[in-house]
Amino acid sequence: MNLIFLGTRGEIEARTRRHRMHTSLVVSYRTAEVTIDCGLDWLGERKRVAPSAIVLTHAHPDHAWGLKPGAPCPVHAPDKTWQELQHYPINDRHVIKERTPIKICGLTFEAFPVEHSILSPAVGYRVTAGRARIFYAPDLIFIHDRNAALQGVQLYIGDGATLTRTFIRRRGKALIGHSAVRAQLTWCQKEGVPRAIITHCGSEIVSGDERGISARLRAMAAERGIEVRIAYDGMKLIL
């Protein structure tokens, strides 16, 4: 399995050379390439990538609005996401059912609901190809059925909106927002995931001293017996 982090910036104003484009990940295996998410930054930029398919985590602007003019390939998304994107001129639509593994271009995707937004319900994806297995969730407060989602996962790719401070708000009985990286590293420790990569970077990372922040994160991860690094636009990884 090959990974390319096309974009690593969250829904923020700040941007740098390392974090310029909205969060998007290419997962490839053999001859197939699947792109996860296509945010507003990718309008007019999609010729830079030619995926076999696109998979969406949810319908927020920084994850789906790059598809406003349509899509050059099949698009897969949960039904709740399609309800929000019903007016987009996407002809080749496929519904992903939660907790039901599905083959997309030789890769197996399983969608796990995550808490993040009331209006735009989100999922994280457990992705398997050959012996490689990752879990990808760029926006979340927590994973429903976390044990099943992370079982046997070699790499967790998570939400970098906030490092340690609380970024969770309550709307009635529901929670919205983002879990801190520190909490996500603890999940990895508890579920036996040995490595983590942080994407969907917020202002704390994008506008801050990234070297210093990386050192802090590595210390947090070392306390939990795992490895961590911050993704940047264009970063490549082979599993």
Side-chain angles (χ1 to χ4, degrees):
M1 184 190 292
N2 291 270
L3 306 177
I4 304 176
F5 291 80
L6 294 179
T8 55
R9 184 174 70 92
E11 183 72 353
I12 58 173
E13 291 295 325
R15 68 176 74 212
T16 64
R17 180 180 58 83
R18 287 172 62 84
H19 308 289
R20 188 172 71 87
M21 301 295 289
H22 279 145
T23 300
S24 183
L25 178 72
V26 172
V27 185
S28 62
Y29 181 65
R30 294 177 178 169
T31 60
E33 289 190 350
V34 177
T35 296
I36 305 179
D37 287 342
C38 184
L40 190 59
D41 278 351
W42 292 98
L43 277 175
E45 295 278 349
R46 289 180 305 162
K47 290 183 179 179
R48 290 171 46 188
V49 293
S52 307
I54 295 171
V55 174
L56 300 178
T57 59
H58 61 302
H60 274 164
D62 56 328
H63 293 269
W65 286 21
L67 299 178
K68 280 185 175 183
C73 61
V75 180
H76 301 254
D79 183 61
K80 292 174 183 176
T81 298
W82 281 126
Q83 291 175 27
E84 293 184 68
L85 305 180
Q86 59 183 305
H87 299 301
Y88 283 22
I90 299 171
N91 297 320
D92 198 350
R93 299 174 175 232
H94 300 264
V95 175
I96 293 179
K97 296 181 180 179
E98 294 176 357
R99 295 306 316 276
T100 303
I102 180 176
K103 282 273 190 182
I104 302 175
C105 304
L107 294 150
T108 300
F109 283 76
E110 184 175 357
F112 283 78
V114 300
E115 203 72 15
H116 169 57
S117 168
I118 300 171
L119 298 179
S120 295
V123 299
Y125 288 106
R126 179 181 168 95
V127 187
T128 305
R131 297 180 180 179
R133 183 175 293 119
I134 68 171
F135 189 81
Y136 182 78
D139 264 323
L140 83 169
I141 296 174
F142 62 83
I143 307 166
H144 293 274
D145 202 356
R146 188 183 74 202
N147 178 262
L150 299 185
Q151 185 175 19
V153 163
Q154 297 153 327
L155 176 66
Y156 171 87
I157 304 174
D159 185 343
T162 174
L163 299 181
T164 58
R165 66 185 176 88
T166 299
F167 199 4
I168 300 172
R169 302 177 297 280
R170 185 175 294 278
R171 293 289 184 271
K173 295 183 179 180
L175 298 175
I176 62 172
H178 308 263
S179 188
V181 172
R182 179 167 57 189
Q184 295 171 69
L185 295 177
T186 299
W187 303 344
C188 291
Q189 176 191 25
K190 290 181 177 180
E191 306 300 341
V193 180
R195 300 169 64 191
I197 291 180
I198 303 306
T199 189
H200 198 263
C201 300
S203 299
E204 195 171 359
I205 292 174
V206 176
S207 300
D209 172 14
E210 191 167 331
R211 286 188 178 182
I213 290 168
S214 293
R216 287 174 56 199
L217 288 182
R218 286 195 299 270
M220 282 185 212
E223 291 174 355
R224 293 161 174 79
I226 61 176
E227 299 177 11
V228 69
R229 65 186 298 191
I230 298 172
Y232 57 86
D233 293 15
M235 190 175 92
K236 298 179 181 180
L237 188 66
I238 299 174
L239 296 177

